Amino acid sequence: MMEDWHQPWLNGVELLEDSNRNKHFLPTGYEGIDVLLGGGLCEGQLTEIVGSSSSGKTQVCLYSAAHVADKHFGVVMFLDTCNSFSPKRIACMVDQLSSSFSGEAKERRLKRIMSNIFCHSIFDIFALLDVLHQLEFNLKHQVTSGHTKICLLIIDSISSLLTPVLGGKGSEGRLLMVSAGIILKKLANEHNVSVLVTNHMVGGEGGILKPALGESWKSIPHVRLQLTHDQGSNICNVSILKHTFMASGRTTKFVIHG
């Protein structure tokens, strides 16, 4: 246990080698997002998508899961906290992207994609912590067993689990929230997993919308993106609110599929 918590010190050369060798980008399949982020979702980092209801957060999660599974990057684990995972929506996306395929080829592609996406429903923070600890154990085991690599972990949405425990004046809720964030970042960094979570918006000063979960959570994600959806169209806007090596405020548009 002490060895697990006290990782060896690494110098700059070792960190650079680890980044080049293990911290790759996983394209989401949405060209606008991938170009904006320099390639997609970075392994070893926690990326948060914030946005109002119907802004496209779940659609980006589902499409990213399908694209990563389709391109043989590895296994996708989808933690569904609000019944947002829809295999029918993924099937519709795959069907649209396979218009030139024969019926049999479409079925093979869909089966391959769906067999690499594992979904688990979670409805409270304690269940999430249990799953994350089990996942950490499994990831350590797969290193030695040679099992297919888990490369993308999606939680849609993280705020639906954390918001209920943040009420009141006590600090217990914030401690649970920070603990979940630390475990997610630890999983990402030590096992080269890309973590993608969604968060909703709440009213701030003057009625201006801001990401939920407050200042204690704000420091957790490596990357924070905000989505907005042009009403009456399939055009979405994405802007960088926070990034480890890119300037905030960069923005672009992309077309939602499905």
Side-chain angles (χ1 to χ4, degrees):
M1 289 179 65
M2 293 299 291
E3 289 179 357
D4 287 342
W5 283 103
H6 296 281
Q7 296 297 316
W9 288 75
L10 300 176
N11 61 38
V13 173
E14 292 169 324
L15 289 169
L16 180 59
E17 290 177 349
D18 175 66
S19 177
N20 292 334
R21 184 173 60 252
N22 299 314
K23 306 298 192 287
H24 305 128
F25 286 101
L26 299 178
T28 65
Y30 286 121
E31 185 178 358
I33 295 178
D34 295 336
V35 171
L36 183 68
L37 296 180
L41 306 172
C42 186
E43 293 177 325
Q45 292 192 349
L46 191 163
T47 300
E48 178 189 39
I49 297 177
V50 303
S52 303
S53 177
S54 301
S55 61
K57 301 186 298 295
T58 294
Q59 192 76 357
V60 170
C61 288
L62 293 173
Y63 198 81
S64 298
H67 188 75
V68 168
D70 184 36
K71 299 303 179 182
H72 308 286
F73 292 116
V75 169
V76 178
M77 187 169 185
F78 197 112
L79 301 185
D80 183 5
T81 72
C82 47
N83 294 318
S84 63
F85 183 82
S86 172
K88 289 186 176 180
R89 285 173 70 179
I90 292 180
C92 181
M93 295 173 190
V94 175
D95 184 67
Q96 291 177 354
L97 295 174
S98 307
S99 57
S100 62
F101 287 44
S102 66
E104 187 175 334
K106 282 184 181 180
E107 285 299 317
R108 286 198 303 268
R109 186 184 192 186
L110 178 60
K111 186 176 180 179
R112 186 185 73 248
I113 290 172
M114 296 304 291
S115 65
N116 281 314
I117 301 175
F118 293 84
C119 180
H120 187 73
S121 296
I122 296 176
F123 301 111
D124 65 73
I125 182 61
F126 302 104
L128 173 65
L129 293 173
D130 286 343
V131 168
L132 294 181
H133 284 301
Q134 183 62 49
L135 178 59
E136 183 177 21
F137 175 83
N138 292 342
L139 287 169
K140 289 179 180 178
H141 176 69
Q142 80 173 7
V143 171
T144 57
S145 66
H147 290 174
T148 304
K149 180 182 183 293
I150 296 175
C151 63
L152 178 59
L153 170 63
I154 298 173
I155 305 178
D156 185 31
S157 76
I158 191 75
S159 53
S160 67
L161 298 180
L162 298 179
T163 300
V165 302
L166 294 178
K169 297 181 179 179
S171 60
E172 293 85 356
R174 287 192 298 276
L175 289 174
L176 287 169
M177 177 179 69
V178 173
S179 295
I182 290 173
I183 295 172
L184 288 171
K185 293 176 77 171
K186 186 170 182 283
L187 286 172
N189 180 63
E190 294 184 5
H191 301 283
N192 304 315
V193 174
S194 179
V195 178
L196 176 64
V197 303
T198 64
N199 187 4
H200 66 276
M201 305 288 280
V202 295
E205 288 187 29
I208 299 175
L209 293 177
K210 64 178 183 179
L213 304 181
E215 293 297 317
S216 298
W217 175 260
K218 185 178 179 180
S219 63
I220 296 293
H222 297 93
V223 177
R224 174 176 268 187
L225 306 175
Q226 182 173 351
L227 281 188
T228 57
H229 191 188
D230 293 348
Q231 295 300 318
S233 77
N234 59 348
I235 303 297
C236 280
N237 304 284
V238 57
S239 57
I240 296 177
L241 300 183
K242 175 186 176 182
H243 202 286
T244 52
F245 58 86
M246 291 184 178
S248 300
R250 296 182 60 193
T251 184
T252 190
K253 295 178 181 290
F254 65 96
V255 178
I256 281 284
H257 301 294

